[in-house]
Amino acid sequence: AGFISVPDTLLALQRLAACHRRSFTGQVLAITGSNGKTVVKEWLAQLLSKVFSVAKNPKSYNSQSGVPISILQMNTGPQYHILEAGISLPGEMLRLAYIIQADEGILTNLGDAHQENFTDYKTKLQEKLLLFRDAAILFYCKDKAVISEGVDQLYGKSGKKLVSWSFVTNAELKVDLEEGMEGTTILSGLFNKREHKLIIPFSDPASIENIIHIWLFWLYHNLPLDLLQEKIMDLEPVAMRLEQKEGLRGCTLINDFYNADLHSLSIALDLLMNQLPQQKKTLILSDLLQTGLGDKELIERINHLLANKKLHRFIGIGPMFKANQSSFNIPVDSYPDTESFLADFHLSQLNDEAILMKGARKFTFEKISKRLENRIHNTVVEVRMNNLLENLNHFRSKINATCRIMAMVKAFSYGSGTHEIAKFLAHHRVDYLGVAFADEGINLRRAGIDIPIMVMNPDLSTLDILIEYHLEPEIYSINVSRAFQEEVQKAGLNNYPIHIKIDTGMHRLGLQADEINQLIGILKNQSSIQIRSVFSHLTSADLPNEDEYTHKQAKVFQSVVNKIKTEIHTPFLSHLVNTAGIQRFPEYHFDMVRLGIGLYGIDPTGTDTLHPVISLKSRITQIHHLKKGEDVGYANSGIIPSDGRIAVIPVGYADGLDRRLGNGVGRVQINNQMAPFIGRICMDMCMVDISGIDAAEGDVVTLIGEKISLSEMADKLETIPYEILTRIPQRVKRIYLFE
């Protein structure tokens, strides 16, 4: 391979992209905002592609690295290049503006995202507006005073064409709404003294606002309005993430609905083939609409993507698949529509398979998913895999290039899943996995995970099973070392890897310093077992007032390691630090670090900004209207303070929701508002006071999420996030989200 050495890799990437951008011959449209930018970009690209050749950055590739990567993949010829840009810190937008060099711009909504990094909304707005410094035209909504004033202050005298829309005040496009039939909305607008109407297939405020940005752009450029009306009814909702769920009969489902294009198919196939444990891989694919390709070329592209994928089963749904079944290079079982598939295909045939379902909106693949899901339970744990990867890479940046990472996946991966998490981490090149017991390691091996796995609490009765599944035991006593050596000798093996645990002050498991000579005597002059690593565990790495004790532990550990090295000449790894130790004690990183709770977005030191990985969500089952003073729950412990409403949610202490959160101690989030628990938490249900909150049965309830963090809940319960995570049982369905 060829390498280019630069002082700053990110800056070099951005400069290369800026150079490539200068060769573009068409217009560059830049989009930013706190909410809606990806949807506006995707929808506008779908619609503009009916008039122009269009290029865009994929999904939400809008960051300091995502934008230049997107630009470097673009050809110079398209008439429109549509690029979204996102920031999380001050100073970032100028770098993106330098790369993008926008000709036109759209500013979407301004919300709370990353607000913690800016002093106020005005400061964040000013930063975002820097994206449009080179643009001749800016499209925006005038209804928020902070936006209207900010745009006018920065660009009012710049010579830019400022084109606005509004529901309430004078603007280039003044909009009124009217409820349409079957979930549609009728937009009426006055633009250039002419009345215009647009019927859209959405009724939620966010989608309406996103569409109006596009409508304003369309009207300003005098593009064909009849074409907009025709194509807007076929808009694909923008799926921002893949959903991975547990299916019936040992299957794993990947739901990738409403994002049916060749690029996203390639991404989803990578997940299907490389990160799921089942040997049998199945693809259920609908006709890909709005690709601009004829059937022959589209089939060639699909054949190319599926080459060498070794699919167990390929199911095509739609007229194109039905008419061209024989044109595919691998056998395809085709059906004209989803209803025919559900009627004619026996779903019981799907056993122990990883199933990717990818379909355009009109094919309603959610019907298939609903039939294949293992548990129908309104309460789910959402696991954001991209955030898990961000956290992994964050900690990677803190260690040197030769230092290895052991990822701790014990206790059901801290409540987030078993093989799903481990497979993902193995795919992203962690060096070791750590589990507590042999059965956890066996499950990972059965799921096809073949990287080294250390068992930290091996039982003497399972030593033969460790060998059978090639799991590497922690040796924490002289008895265990002898017993395991005998077991390996019985198996006729040599140099079986073991991990020596030293007790440096935790006084849990581990060999004492005065036992090391005896251990060395057992290990010398034999070839059945071989030290793979020597390690210990810090008791208080997250507590600055205990740093003296931490240094004392490290000193004992280094002394023991040096002693073993003088007697055992085979190289081995040494490791001491956990998540907090990685953060606070770089001098003790040694050869490997053990990364645990930090992977899952919990910072034990309070010094880093990590990404939350786990959310716990449910839905409102029922709403009751109560009079002031009425009792709620067991023992009449909850009393509603005034006339109001309560919501019943199907999650209780059997789902890991602590009973101590009842009676107003804890709260949930419903439609962006906080609702306190009322009455006691029940085994399978709880009640919350939703008086004054606009909520309906079926609405989503967030029990753990960005606005109700694990740390906040742990503080209320006077416990630690670990306990909350690991208490969520497996009856609660895990959904794995891939941005």
Side-chain angles (χ1 to χ4, degrees), residues 201-336:
F202 309 104
S203 57
D204 62 288
S207 295
I208 291 170
E209 187 171 304
N210 292 334
I211 287 290
I212 296 174
H213 285 299
I214 295 169
W215 193 24
L216 177 64
F217 176 92
W218 207 269
L219 287 165
Y220 178 83
H221 286 291
N222 198 28
L223 298 173
L225 296 173
D226 54 346
L227 177 66
L228 177 66
Q229 179 61 82
E230 176 190 352
K231 297 303 179 184
I232 213 164
M233 300 304 291
D234 297 325
L235 274 182
E236 302 277 355
V238 179
M240 298 302 295
R241 48 196 171 186
L242 304 171
E243 288 187 346
Q244 182 180 322
K245 298 181 178 181
E246 185 179 347
L248 293 168
R249 297 176 296 278
C251 293
T252 298
L253 313 179
I254 305 174
N255 295 340
D256 194 14
F257 312 148
Y258 313 136
N259 198 16
D261 60 76
L262 290 165
H263 178 76
S264 62
L265 175 59
S266 175
I267 294 171
L269 283 170
D270 177 70
L271 174 62
L272 174 70
M273 304 310 297
N274 295 319
Q275 296 184 44
L276 296 183
Q278 290 88 346
Q279 294 298 311
K280 296 187 290 186
K281 313 289 186 180
T282 292
L283 171 64
I284 304 177
L285 179 66
S286 81
D287 287 358
L288 301 183
L289 308 178
Q290 300 181 333
T291 62
L293 304 175
D295 286 358
K296 183 177 179 181
E297 185 177 355
L298 180 58
I299 291 166
E300 287 178 359
R301 298 276 191 94
I302 294 174
N303 278 331
H304 177 72
L305 286 176
L306 299 184
N308 303 316
K309 289 294 189 290
K310 296 181 180 179
L311 289 173
H312 171 69
R313 197 190 308 268
F314 178 24
I315 297 169
I317 295 178
M320 188 277 288
F321 275 108
K322 194 65 181 173
N324 298 280
Q325 183 170 344
S326 61
S327 300
F328 290 90
N329 293 342
I330 61 175
V332 56
D333 193 5
S334 63
Y335 299 86

Side-chain angles (χ1 to χ4, degrees), residues 17 53 81 141 144 153 214 275 304 386 400 434 576 663 701:
S53 57
H81 296 80
C141 176
K144 282 191 176 180
Q153 180 181 351
I214 295 169
Q275 296 184 44
H304 177 72
N386 290 72
N400 65 51
L576 178 65
N663 290 315
V701 178

Side-chain angles (χ1 to χ4, degrees), residues 7 22 54 60 69 104 196 219 299 326 408 427 431 446 454 516 529 545-546 549 556 614 638 648 651 665 671 693 724:
R22 295 189 190 100
V54 174
S60 52
I69 288 170
E104 304 177 45
H196 299 276
L219 287 165
I299 291 166
S326 61
M408 304 308 298
H427 181 71
D431 302 282
R446 287 174 174 169
M454 181 174 77
I516 298 305
I529 57 177
N545 60 328
E546 294 291 340
Y549 193 77
V556 172
I614 305 294
V648 182
V651 55
V665 174
N671 294 333
I693 296 176
I724 297 171

Side-chain angles (χ1 to χ4, degrees), residues 37-46 56-59 238:
K37 53 186 177 290
T38 301
V39 176
V40 170
K41 178 204 69 185
E42 294 289 337
W43 281 351
L44 187 56
Q46 287 181 43
K56 63 179 177 64
N57 45 355
K59 289 203 173 180
V238 179

Side-chain angles (χ1 to χ4, degrees), residues 64 86-94 114 116-118 127 609:
Q64 296 291 302
I87 58 170
S88 56
L89 295 169
E92 290 185 336
M93 193 57 90
L94 271 177
H114 304 296
E116 70 277 8
N117 299 324
F118 297 90
E127 176 78 16
T609 302

Side-chain angles (χ1 to χ4, degrees), residues 374-388:
N374 190 18
R375 290 185 289 268
I376 306 301
H377 189 329
N378 277 329
T379 302
V380 299
V381 170
E382 291 184 350
V383 184
R384 293 176 175 82
M385 303 299 274
N386 290 72
N387 285 3
L388 185 77

Side-chain angles (χ1 to χ4, degrees), residues 471-484:
L471 303 171
E472 303 176 15
E474 169 187 311
I475 302 298
Y476 55 84
S477 72
I478 297 297
N479 288 341
V480 173
S481 66
R482 285 179 173 146
F484 192 69

Side-chain angles (χ1 to χ4, degrees), residues 368-505:
I368 305 174
S369 179
K370 193 172 183 179
R371 296 271 292 273
L372 290 174
E373 284 183 32
N374 190 18
R375 290 185 289 268
I376 306 301
H377 189 329
N378 277 329
T379 302
V380 299
V381 170
E382 291 184 350
V383 184
R384 293 176 175 82
M385 303 299 274
N386 290 72
N387 285 3
L388 185 77
L389 180 59
E390 289 281 350
N391 294 334
L392 172 62
N393 288 335
H394 172 78
F395 285 100
R396 271 199 172 119
S397 72
K398 291 180 174 292
I399 62 178
N400 65 51
T402 60
C403 187
R404 306 185 188 196
I405 293 178
M406 177 183 290
M408 304 308 298
V409 292
K410 60 182 180 177
F412 199 55
S413 294
Y414 293 66
S416 60
T418 52
H419 63 264
E420 298 90 352
I421 299 296
K423 191 86 172 179
F424 184 79
L425 293 170
H427 181 71
H428 288 285
R429 307 182 318 281
V430 299
D431 302 282
Y432 257 90
L433 297 174
V435 299
F437 300 102
D439 56 349
E440 294 177 324
I442 291 168
N443 289 335
L444 299 184
R445 288 285 185 246
R446 287 174 174 169
I449 296 168
D450 57 8
I451 71 170
I453 299 173
M454 181 174 77
V455 179
M456 307 190 78
N457 189 15
D459 187 89
L460 289 175
S461 65
T462 64
L463 297 183
D464 57 335
I465 299 175
L466 294 180
I467 295 170
E468 180 182 349
Y469 287 93
H470 202 72
L471 303 171
E472 303 176 15
E474 169 187 311
I475 302 298
Y476 55 84
S477 72
I478 297 297
N479 288 341
V480 173
S481 66
R482 285 179 173 146
F484 192 69
Q485 184 182 26
E486 290 175 7
E487 203 64 51
V488 173
Q489 288 171 345
K490 284 182 192 176
L493 299 175
N494 288 315
N495 298 324
Y496 198 98
I498 61 171
H499 301 264
I500 306 300
K501 174 68 176 293
I502 308 300
D503 180 6
T504 58

